[in-house]
Amino acid sequence: MHLLDLITRKRDGGRITPDEWRAFAAGYAAGRYPDYQVSALLMAVFFRGMDADEGFALMQGMLESGGRLDFKGLGKPVIDKHSTGGVGDKTSIPLAPLLATLGVAVPMMSGRGLGHTGGTLDKLEAIPGFNTRLSLAEAKAQVERLGCALIGQTGEIAPADKKLYALRDATATVEAIPLIAASIMSKKLAEGLTGLVLDVKTGSGSFMPEFDRATQLAQTMVAIGERCGCPTVALMTSMHHPLGVACGNALEIEESLDILHGGGPADTREVTVALGAEMLVLGRLAPNHGEARRQLESAIADGSALEMFRRIVEAQGGDPRVVDDPRGVLPQAPRQSVVTAPRAGAVQTVAPRVIGRGIIALGGGRLTMEDTVDPAVGFHILVRPGQGVTRGQPLAVIYARDDAGIDAGKACLASAITIGDEDFVPPPLVSHRVTAAGVEEYGDG
Ligand code: URA
Protein backbone atom coordinates (compact mmCIF):
# COMPACT_ATOMS: atom_id res chain seq x y z
CA MET A 1 0.00 0.00 0.00
CA HIS A 2 1.36 3.44 -0.98
CA LEU A 3 0.46 6.19 1.44
CA LEU A 4 0.71 8.75 -1.38
CA ASP A 5 -2.30 7.08 -3.09
CA LEU A 6 -4.33 7.36 0.11
CA ILE A 7 -3.39 11.00 0.61
CA THR A 8 -4.27 11.86 -2.99
CA ARG A 9 -7.58 10.01 -2.87
CA LYS A 10 -8.64 11.60 0.43
CA ARG A 11 -7.48 15.05 -0.68
CA ASP A 12 -9.74 14.72 -3.75
CA GLY A 13 -12.77 13.70 -1.68
CA GLY A 14 -12.49 9.94 -2.24
CA ARG A 15 -12.81 7.08 0.19
CA ILE A 16 -10.16 4.95 1.86
CA THR A 17 -11.32 1.36 2.30
CA PRO A 18 -11.61 -0.27 5.74
CA ASP A 19 -8.75 -2.67 4.86
CA GLU A 20 -6.56 0.27 3.90
CA TRP A 21 -7.32 2.09 7.17
CA ARG A 22 -6.46 -1.01 9.22
CA ALA A 23 -3.23 -1.51 7.26
CA PHE A 24 -2.40 2.17 7.72
CA ALA A 25 -2.80 1.98 11.53
CA ALA A 26 -0.65 -1.16 11.75
CA GLY A 27 1.98 0.32 9.43
CA TYR A 28 2.14 3.62 11.29
CA ALA A 29 2.54 1.86 14.66
CA ALA A 30 5.37 -0.18 13.10
CA GLY A 31 7.12 3.00 11.91
CA ARG A 32 6.59 2.35 8.19
CA TYR A 33 5.21 5.80 7.29
CA PRO A 34 6.96 9.14 7.75
CA ASP A 35 5.22 11.79 9.85
CA TYR A 36 5.20 14.29 6.98
CA GLN A 37 3.01 11.99 4.86
CA VAL A 38 0.78 11.02 7.78
CA SER A 39 0.34 14.73 8.57
CA ALA A 40 -0.86 15.32 5.02
CA LEU A 41 -3.32 12.44 5.31
CA LEU A 42 -4.64 13.79 8.63
CA MET A 43 -5.16 17.24 7.12
CA ALA A 44 -6.99 15.69 4.15
CA VAL A 45 -9.26 13.84 6.64
CA PHE A 46 -9.75 17.06 8.59
CA PHE A 47 -11.19 18.78 5.50
CA ARG A 48 -12.83 15.84 3.71
CA GLY A 49 -14.07 13.77 6.67
CA MET A 50 -14.51 10.01 6.91
CA ASP A 51 -17.66 7.92 6.68
CA ALA A 52 -18.72 5.65 9.56
CA ASP A 53 -17.05 2.56 8.07
CA GLU A 54 -13.76 4.39 7.58
CA GLY A 55 -13.77 5.74 11.15
CA PHE A 56 -14.63 2.33 12.53
CA ALA A 57 -11.82 0.65 10.58
CA LEU A 58 -9.27 3.23 11.75
CA MET A 59 -10.45 2.63 15.33
CA GLN A 60 -10.10 -1.14 14.84
CA GLY A 61 -6.61 -0.77 13.39
CA MET A 62 -5.51 1.39 16.34
CA LEU A 63 -7.12 -0.99 18.85
CA GLU A 64 -5.41 -3.98 17.24
CA SER A 65 -2.02 -2.24 17.26
CA GLY A 66 -1.67 -2.98 21.00
CA GLY A 67 -2.61 -5.23 23.88
CA ARG A 68 -6.00 -5.54 25.57
CA LEU A 69 -7.41 -6.43 28.92
CA ASP A 70 -9.51 -9.57 28.96
CA PHE A 71 -11.97 -10.19 31.79
CA LYS A 72 -13.80 -13.17 30.29
CA GLY A 73 -14.89 -15.49 33.08
CA LEU A 74 -14.86 -12.76 35.75
CA GLY A 75 -18.63 -13.06 36.16
CA LYS A 76 -19.15 -9.32 36.60
CA PRO A 77 -20.00 -6.46 34.29
CA VAL A 78 -16.83 -4.60 33.27
CA ILE A 79 -17.68 -0.93 32.81
CA ASP A 80 -15.71 2.29 32.52
CA LYS A 81 -16.62 5.95 32.21
CA HIS A 82 -14.86 8.41 29.93
CA SER A 83 -15.18 12.18 30.07
CA THR A 84 -14.21 14.48 27.23
CA GLY A 85 -12.76 16.70 29.95
CA GLY A 86 -13.16 20.07 31.53
CA VAL A 87 -12.34 22.14 34.59
CA GLY A 88 -13.10 20.77 38.06
CA ASP A 89 -14.24 17.49 36.52
CA LYS A 90 -13.30 14.97 39.23
CA THR A 91 -16.21 12.53 38.95
CA SER A 92 -14.00 9.55 37.98
CA ILE A 93 -12.46 9.60 41.46
CA PRO A 94 -15.62 8.96 43.49
CA LEU A 95 -17.24 6.90 40.69
CA ALA A 96 -14.58 4.19 40.48
CA PRO A 97 -14.82 3.03 44.13
CA LEU A 98 -18.60 3.53 44.18
CA LEU A 99 -19.15 1.23 41.23
CA ALA A 100 -16.58 -1.31 42.42
CA THR A 101 -18.46 -1.52 45.73
CA LEU A 102 -21.71 -2.19 43.89
CA GLY A 103 -20.35 -5.16 41.90
CA VAL A 104 -18.99 -3.56 38.72
CA ALA A 105 -15.41 -4.29 37.64
CA VAL A 106 -13.89 -0.88 36.80
CA PRO A 107 -10.61 -0.82 34.86
CA MET A 108 -10.50 2.97 34.80
CA MET A 109 -7.95 4.34 32.36
CA SER A 110 -7.54 8.11 32.55
CA GLY A 111 -5.36 10.85 31.13
CA ARG A 112 -3.25 13.79 32.28
CA GLY A 113 -4.26 17.41 32.19
CA LEU A 114 -3.27 19.40 29.11
CA GLY A 115 -4.09 23.01 28.30
CA HIS A 116 -7.01 24.35 30.30
CA THR A 117 -8.43 20.92 31.17
CA GLY A 118 -7.36 18.87 34.17
CA GLY A 119 -6.57 15.13 34.18
CA THR A 120 -7.54 12.40 36.64
CA LEU A 121 -4.00 10.97 36.75
CA ASP A 122 -2.55 14.28 37.98
CA LYS A 123 -5.27 14.48 40.63
CA LEU A 124 -4.62 10.95 41.88
CA GLU A 125 -0.88 11.55 41.95
CA ALA A 126 -1.49 14.43 44.39
CA ILE A 127 -1.95 11.60 46.94
CA PRO A 128 1.59 10.91 48.20
CA GLY A 129 2.89 7.60 46.79
CA PHE A 130 -0.10 6.90 44.50
CA ASN A 131 1.16 4.95 41.48
CA THR A 132 -0.93 5.18 38.29
CA ARG A 133 1.72 3.49 36.12
CA LEU A 134 0.49 -0.11 36.37
CA SER A 135 1.16 -2.55 33.55
CA LEU A 136 -1.86 -4.19 31.93
CA ALA A 137 -1.13 -7.41 33.84
CA GLU A 138 -0.97 -5.53 37.16
CA ALA A 139 -4.17 -3.61 36.39
CA LYS A 140 -5.97 -6.82 35.47
CA ALA A 141 -4.86 -8.56 38.67
CA GLN A 142 -6.01 -5.58 40.78
CA VAL A 143 -9.41 -5.40 39.05
CA GLU A 144 -9.88 -9.13 39.64
CA ARG A 145 -8.88 -8.82 43.30
CA LEU A 146 -10.47 -5.49 44.30
CA GLY A 147 -12.89 -4.62 41.52
CA CYS A 148 -11.05 -1.51 40.38
CA ALA A 149 -7.74 -0.11 39.15
CA LEU A 150 -7.01 3.55 38.36
CA ILE A 151 -4.38 3.70 35.65
CA GLY A 152 -2.95 5.70 32.74
CA GLN A 153 -2.68 4.69 29.08
CA THR A 154 0.27 2.31 29.11
CA GLY A 155 2.50 1.96 26.05
CA GLU A 156 0.77 -1.39 25.55
CA ILE A 157 -2.63 0.17 24.76
CA ALA A 158 -3.35 1.38 21.20
CA PRO A 159 0.21 2.52 20.36
CA ALA A 160 -0.96 3.64 16.89
CA ASP A 161 -3.34 6.09 18.57
CA LYS A 162 -0.63 7.33 20.91
CA LYS A 163 1.60 8.27 17.95
CA LEU A 164 -1.24 9.60 15.85
CA TYR A 165 -2.72 11.72 18.66
CA ALA A 166 0.67 13.33 19.31
CA LEU A 167 1.01 14.10 15.59
CA ARG A 168 -2.53 15.53 15.43
CA ASP A 169 -1.71 17.73 18.40
CA ALA A 170 1.31 19.12 16.51
CA THR A 171 -0.51 19.57 13.16
CA ALA A 172 -3.81 21.26 14.20
CA THR A 173 -5.83 18.18 13.24
CA VAL A 174 -7.22 17.16 16.64
CA GLU A 175 -10.68 18.69 16.17
CA ALA A 176 -12.04 16.24 13.59
CA ILE A 177 -14.98 14.27 15.00
CA PRO A 178 -14.21 10.90 13.32
CA LEU A 179 -10.57 11.10 14.44
CA ILE A 180 -11.50 11.98 18.03
CA ALA A 181 -14.11 9.22 18.19
CA ALA A 182 -11.70 6.61 16.78
CA SER A 183 -8.96 7.75 19.16
CA ILE A 184 -11.04 7.66 22.34
CA MET A 185 -12.84 4.43 21.49
CA SER A 186 -9.65 2.54 20.50
CA LYS A 187 -8.35 3.07 24.05
CA LYS A 188 -11.64 2.39 25.83
CA LEU A 189 -12.41 -0.78 23.90
CA ALA A 190 -8.93 -2.13 24.75
CA GLU A 191 -10.09 -2.36 28.37
CA GLY A 192 -12.22 -5.45 27.65
CA LEU A 193 -15.44 -3.64 28.61
CA THR A 194 -18.98 -5.00 28.65
CA GLY A 195 -20.31 -1.42 28.80
CA LEU A 196 -19.14 2.17 28.53
CA VAL A 197 -20.61 5.45 29.76
CA LEU A 198 -19.41 8.67 28.13
CA ASP A 199 -19.60 12.09 29.73
CA VAL A 200 -19.53 14.45 26.75
CA LYS A 201 -19.08 18.03 27.91
CA THR A 202 -20.52 21.04 26.10
CA GLY A 203 -20.06 24.73 26.81
CA SER A 204 -17.19 27.17 26.73
CA GLY A 205 -14.85 25.11 28.95
CA SER A 206 -15.22 21.92 26.98
CA PHE A 207 -13.03 20.48 24.32
CA MET A 208 -15.94 20.79 21.84
CA PRO A 209 -17.96 23.85 22.97
CA GLU A 210 -20.84 23.74 20.44
CA PHE A 211 -23.69 21.51 21.52
CA ASP A 212 -24.43 20.16 18.01
CA ARG A 213 -20.83 19.10 17.37
CA ALA A 214 -20.48 17.62 20.85
CA THR A 215 -23.68 15.63 20.27
CA GLN A 216 -22.36 14.43 16.93
CA LEU A 217 -19.18 13.27 18.69
CA ALA A 218 -21.30 11.44 21.30
CA GLN A 219 -23.36 9.74 18.58
CA THR A 220 -20.23 8.69 16.67
CA MET A 221 -18.67 7.15 19.79
CA VAL A 222 -21.93 5.43 20.82
CA ALA A 223 -22.22 3.92 17.31
CA ILE A 224 -18.63 2.58 17.46
CA GLY A 225 -19.16 1.05 20.91
CA GLU A 226 -22.40 -0.63 19.89
CA ARG A 227 -20.86 -1.94 16.67
CA CYS A 228 -18.14 -3.61 18.77
CA GLY A 229 -20.75 -5.26 21.00
CA CYS A 230 -20.03 -2.88 23.89
CA PRO A 231 -23.29 -1.17 24.92
CA THR A 232 -22.47 2.54 25.15
CA VAL A 233 -24.44 5.49 26.52
CA ALA A 234 -23.43 9.16 26.58
CA LEU A 235 -24.67 11.95 28.84
CA MET A 236 -24.29 15.50 27.57
CA THR A 237 -23.19 17.58 30.57
CA SER A 238 -22.49 21.24 31.12
CA MET A 239 -19.03 22.77 31.08
CA HIS A 240 -20.40 26.32 30.95
CA HIS A 241 -18.81 26.70 34.40
CA PRO A 242 -16.37 24.56 36.41
CA LEU A 243 -17.86 21.48 38.02
CA GLY A 244 -18.06 21.74 41.80
CA VAL A 245 -16.04 24.06 43.99
CA ALA A 246 -12.48 22.70 43.81
CA CYS A 247 -10.31 23.32 40.74
CA GLY A 248 -6.73 22.06 41.12
CA ASN A 249 -5.29 18.62 41.72
CA ALA A 250 -5.09 18.12 45.52
CA LEU A 251 -8.15 20.32 46.07
CA GLU A 252 -10.14 18.05 43.76
CA ILE A 253 -9.08 14.93 45.67
CA GLU A 254 -10.40 16.59 48.80
CA GLU A 255 -13.74 17.35 47.11
CA SER A 256 -13.94 13.77 45.79
CA LEU A 257 -13.49 12.53 49.35
CA ASP A 258 -16.23 14.92 50.49
CA ILE A 259 -18.54 13.23 47.98
CA LEU A 260 -17.61 9.78 49.31
CA HIS A 261 -18.20 11.05 52.86
CA GLY A 262 -21.75 12.03 51.84
CA GLY A 263 -21.16 15.77 51.36
CA GLY A 264 -19.57 17.81 48.59
CA PRO A 265 -21.12 20.32 46.18
CA ALA A 266 -24.54 19.44 44.74
CA ASP A 267 -23.39 19.68 41.10
CA THR A 268 -20.40 17.33 41.51
CA ARG A 269 -22.63 14.92 43.35
CA GLU A 270 -25.38 15.08 40.70
CA VAL A 271 -23.06 14.42 37.73
CA THR A 272 -21.35 11.60 39.66
CA VAL A 273 -24.67 9.94 40.52
CA ALA A 274 -26.11 10.45 37.02
CA LEU A 275 -23.08 8.74 35.42
CA GLY A 276 -22.98 6.03 38.08
CA ALA A 277 -26.66 5.26 37.53
CA GLU A 278 -26.02 4.76 33.80
CA MET A 279 -23.15 2.40 34.64
CA LEU A 280 -25.27 0.30 37.01
CA VAL A 281 -28.15 0.05 34.54
CA LEU A 282 -25.77 -0.86 31.67
CA GLY A 283 -24.28 -3.55 33.93
CA ARG A 284 -27.79 -4.86 34.69
CA LEU A 285 -27.14 -4.38 38.39
CA ALA A 286 -30.14 -2.04 38.68
CA PRO A 287 -33.46 -2.31 36.81
CA ASN A 288 -33.82 1.45 36.31
CA HIS A 289 -32.12 4.76 37.04
CA GLY A 290 -34.16 5.47 40.17
CA GLU A 291 -33.11 2.19 41.79
CA ALA A 292 -29.51 2.73 40.62
CA ARG A 293 -29.46 6.15 42.30
CA ARG A 294 -30.71 4.59 45.54
CA GLN A 295 -27.90 2.00 45.42
CA LEU A 296 -25.29 4.70 44.86
CA GLU A 297 -26.61 6.86 47.69
CA SER A 298 -26.60 3.92 50.05
CA ALA A 299 -23.00 2.90 49.15
CA ILE A 300 -22.04 6.45 50.13
CA ALA A 301 -24.19 6.52 53.28
CA ASP A 302 -22.93 3.20 54.68
CA GLY A 303 -19.27 4.09 54.06
CA SER A 304 -18.58 1.14 51.74
CA ALA A 305 -17.48 3.30 48.79
CA LEU A 306 -15.12 5.25 51.03
CA GLU A 307 -13.67 2.02 52.35
CA MET A 308 -13.17 0.80 48.77
CA PHE A 309 -11.31 4.02 47.92
CA ARG A 310 -9.02 3.43 50.91
CA ARG A 311 -8.25 -0.08 49.62
CA ILE A 312 -7.54 1.19 46.10
CA VAL A 313 -5.20 3.91 47.43
CA GLU A 314 -3.39 1.33 49.55
CA ALA A 315 -3.14 -1.18 46.67
CA GLN A 316 -1.60 1.48 44.41
CA GLY A 317 1.01 2.61 46.94
CA GLY A 318 -0.74 5.77 48.14
CA ASP A 319 -1.07 6.96 51.72
CA PRO A 320 -4.48 5.63 52.85
CA ARG A 321 -4.69 8.14 55.70
CA VAL A 322 -5.80 10.60 52.98
CA VAL A 323 -9.31 9.15 53.34
CA ASP A 324 -9.81 10.43 56.90
CA ASP A 325 -7.40 13.34 56.99
CA PRO A 326 -7.05 14.80 53.47
CA ARG A 327 -5.58 18.10 54.65
CA GLY A 328 -2.98 16.31 56.80
CA VAL A 329 -1.83 14.16 53.88
CA LEU A 330 -2.34 16.13 50.66
CA PRO A 331 0.14 18.87 49.70
CA GLN A 332 -1.08 22.27 50.91
CA ALA A 333 -0.46 25.60 49.19
CA PRO A 334 1.44 27.97 51.50
CA ARG A 335 -0.50 31.07 50.39
CA GLN A 336 -4.25 31.62 50.30
CA SER A 337 -6.32 34.67 49.41
CA VAL A 338 -10.07 35.25 49.32
CA VAL A 339 -11.44 37.28 46.40
CA THR A 340 -14.70 39.15 47.04
CA ALA A 341 -17.44 40.62 44.84
CA PRO A 342 -16.66 44.20 43.76
CA ARG A 343 -20.40 44.94 43.47
CA ALA A 344 -23.83 43.44 44.09
CA GLY A 345 -25.68 41.69 41.24
CA ALA A 346 -26.09 38.34 39.55
CA VAL A 347 -23.11 36.23 38.52
CA GLN A 348 -23.08 36.19 34.71
CA THR A 349 -20.04 34.00 34.01
CA VAL A 350 -17.59 31.73 35.79
CA ALA A 351 -15.56 31.08 32.64
CA PRO A 352 -14.04 27.60 32.94
CA ARG A 353 -11.42 28.07 30.24
CA VAL A 354 -10.11 31.16 32.04
CA ILE A 355 -10.06 29.30 35.36
CA GLY A 356 -8.19 26.42 33.69
CA ARG A 357 -5.62 28.84 32.26
CA GLY A 358 -5.37 30.38 35.74
CA ILE A 359 -4.43 26.99 37.20
CA ILE A 360 -1.63 26.77 34.63
CA ALA A 361 -0.48 30.28 35.64
CA LEU A 362 -0.35 29.09 39.28
CA GLY A 363 1.79 26.11 38.21
CA GLY A 364 -0.94 23.48 38.61
CA GLY A 365 -1.50 22.64 34.92
CA ARG A 366 0.39 21.91 31.71
CA LEU A 367 0.95 23.63 28.40
CA THR A 368 2.98 20.67 27.10
CA MET A 369 3.10 17.05 28.23
CA GLU A 370 6.65 17.63 29.51
CA ASP A 371 5.58 20.26 32.10
CA THR A 372 5.44 19.21 35.76
CA VAL A 373 2.45 20.20 37.88
CA ASP A 374 2.26 21.65 41.39
CA PRO A 375 -0.49 19.54 43.01
CA ALA A 376 -1.26 21.99 45.82
CA VAL A 377 -2.36 25.08 43.89
CA GLY A 378 -5.74 26.04 42.42
CA PHE A 379 -9.03 27.67 43.30
CA HIS A 380 -12.16 27.15 45.31
CA ILE A 381 -14.91 28.72 43.25
CA LEU A 382 -17.72 29.66 45.62
CA VAL A 383 -20.33 31.01 43.18
CA ARG A 384 -22.23 29.78 40.12
CA PRO A 385 -23.66 31.60 37.09
CA GLY A 386 -27.13 32.91 37.94
CA GLN A 387 -26.40 33.29 41.66
CA GLY A 388 -27.12 36.63 43.32
CA VAL A 389 -24.22 38.15 45.29
CA THR A 390 -23.78 41.14 47.60
CA ARG A 391 -20.83 43.53 47.51
CA GLY A 392 -17.91 42.03 49.47
CA GLN A 393 -19.26 38.46 49.36
CA PRO A 394 -16.48 35.87 48.87
CA LEU A 395 -16.39 34.66 45.25
CA ALA A 396 -13.37 32.38 45.33
CA VAL A 397 -10.25 31.37 47.26
CA ILE A 398 -6.83 31.28 45.56
CA TYR A 399 -4.35 28.60 46.69
CA ALA A 400 -0.86 29.57 45.54
CA ARG A 401 2.81 28.90 46.10
CA ASP A 402 3.82 32.58 46.48
CA ASP A 403 2.79 36.21 46.00
CA ALA A 404 3.23 36.02 42.23
CA GLY A 405 0.73 33.11 42.24
CA ILE A 406 -1.77 35.13 44.26
CA ASP A 407 -1.47 38.01 41.76
CA ALA A 408 -1.90 35.63 38.80
CA GLY A 409 -4.93 34.10 40.54
CA LYS A 410 -6.53 37.51 41.13
CA ALA A 411 -6.03 38.51 37.49
CA CYS A 412 -7.60 35.24 36.36
CA LEU A 413 -10.65 35.53 38.63
CA ALA A 414 -11.23 39.17 37.66
CA SER A 415 -11.81 38.12 34.07
CA ALA A 416 -13.44 34.71 34.74
CA ILE A 417 -16.15 35.80 37.19
CA THR A 418 -18.36 38.61 35.93
CA ILE A 419 -21.26 40.19 37.79
CA GLY A 420 -24.08 42.11 36.13
CA ASP A 421 -27.69 43.13 36.54
CA GLU A 422 -29.27 40.60 34.17
CA ASP A 423 -31.06 37.57 35.58
CA PHE A 424 -29.22 34.60 34.22
CA VAL A 425 -30.51 31.04 34.02
CA PRO A 426 -27.65 28.57 33.52
CA PRO A 427 -28.14 25.65 31.13
CA PRO A 428 -29.01 22.28 32.76
CA LEU A 429 -26.16 20.32 34.31
CA VAL A 430 -27.07 17.11 32.49
CA SER A 431 -29.06 18.01 29.39
CA HIS A 432 -29.32 14.95 27.11
CA ARG A 433 -28.83 11.23 26.96
CA VAL A 434 -27.44 9.70 23.76
CA THR A 435 -27.96 6.01 23.01
CA ALA A 436 -28.07 3.83 19.90
CA ALA A 437 -31.78 4.77 19.72
CA GLY A 438 -31.05 8.50 19.44
CA VAL A 439 -30.79 11.69 21.50
CA GLU A 440 -33.32 12.38 24.27
CA GLU A 441 -33.68 15.06 26.91
CA TYR A 442 -32.26 13.90 30.20
CA GLY A 443 -34.60 12.72 32.95
CA ASP A 444 -33.70 10.39 35.76
CA GLY A 445 -36.65 7.97 35.28
N1 URA B 1 -8.90 12.60 23.61
C1 URA B 1 -8.36 11.53 22.97
O1 URA B 1 -8.01 10.55 23.59
N2 URA B 1 -8.24 11.59 21.64
C2 URA B 1 -8.64 12.66 20.92
O2 URA B 1 -8.51 12.64 19.72
C3 URA B 1 -9.17 13.76 21.59
C4 URA B 1 -9.29 13.70 22.95
Side-chain angles (χ1 to χ4, degrees), residues 88-418:
D89 179 13
K90 70 279 285 175
T91 60
S92 291
I93 298 160
L95 265 175
L98 258 171
L99 273 293
T101 305
L102 293 170
V104 178
V106 191
M108 191 170 269
M109 198 187 306
S110 307
R112 295 195 179 277
L114 184 62
H116 74 280
T117 61
T120 300
L121 294 184
D122 296 323
K123 296 170 199 183
L124 290 168
E125 288 174 2
I127 302 172
F130 198 102
N131 174 25
T132 58
R133 294 172 200 271
L134 305 191
S135 67
L136 281 190
E138 288 166 334
K140 180 171 191 285
Q142 186 174 312
V143 171
E144 286 168 350
R145 195 174 72 254
L146 267 187
C148 177
L150 299 169
I151 62 167
Q153 183 188 3
T154 74
E156 300 154 275
I157 296 271
D161 169 66
K162 200 165 190 173
K163 274 183 83 176
L164 213 52
Y165 191 20
L167 190 62
R168 286 166 55 213
D169 198 34
T171 56
T173 51
V174 169
E175 292 89 352
I177 287 173
L179 294 178
I180 300 168
S183 166
I184 292 174
M185 294 303 285
S186 69
K187 290 176 284 223
K188 289 290 129 186
L189 294 169
E191 295 173 14
L193 303 177
T194 61
L196 173 64
V197 174
L198 300 163
D199 177 359
V200 178
K201 304 278 182 205
T202 65
S204 65
S206 67
F207 166 69
M208 191 142 280
E210 310 85 14
F211 178 79
D212 288 351
R213 274 175 60 73
T215 307
Q216 211 185 318
L217 173 63
Q219 288 179 294
T220 309
M221 292 193 288
V222 166
I224 290 176
E226 295 284 342
R227 193 162 162 184
C228 278
C230 173
T232 303
V233 172
L235 294 185
M236 307 299 298
T237 71
S238 169
M239 192 36 68
H240 294 274
H241 57 85
L243 184 65
V245 169
C247 300
N249 296 305
L251 298 169
E252 292 189 45
I253 292 289
E254 208 180 317
E255 183 171 302
S256 304
L257 283 163
D258 288 344
I259 297 289
L260 291 173
H261 277 285
D267 57 351
T268 307
R269 196 180 173 96
E270 170 54 20
V271 176
T272 303
V273 171
L275 293 165
E278 296 293 341
M279 293 169 82
L280 283 178
V281 170
L282 262 192
R284 296 177 196 272
L285 292 171
N288 56 53
H289 295 100
E291 172 55 24
R293 281 173 174 261
R294 276 187 288 283
Q295 289 186 26
L296 291 158
E297 296 294 353
S298 104
I300 293 174
D302 69 13
S304 52
L306 191 67
E307 195 45 40
M308 175 60 80
F309 188 65
R310 188 196 313 275
R311 293 171 66 198
I312 296 166
V313 170
E314 223 161 16
Q316 295 193 217
D319 185 341
R321 290 172 306 164
V322 71
V323 167
D324 307 307
D325 181 19
R327 294 217 172 159
V329 170
L330 293 169
Q332 300 294 306
R335 296 292 320 280
Q336 297 182 14
S337 177
V338 177
V339 169
T340 56
R343 53 163 287 190
V347 176
Q348 307 289 307
T349 61
V350 182
R353 222 168 251 270
V354 182
I355 302 281
R357 291 277 165 193
I359 296 173
I360 297 173
L362 292 173
R366 280 197 192 78
L367 282 174
T368 73
M369 279 325 266
E370 286 68 45
D371 295 344
T372 53
V373 298
D374 181 343
V377 300
F379 300 100
H380 273 165
I381 305 293
L382 308 175
V383 291
R384 300 277 180 285
Q387 185 177 331
V389 291
T390 53
R391 187 161 182 267
Q393 179 175 333
L395 299 176
V397 184
I398 305 166
Y399 295 82
R401 206 28 75 194
D402 49 29
D403 286 347
I406 296 288
D407 290 344
K410 283 183 179 162
C412 156
L413 293 172
S415 71
I417 304 181
T418 57

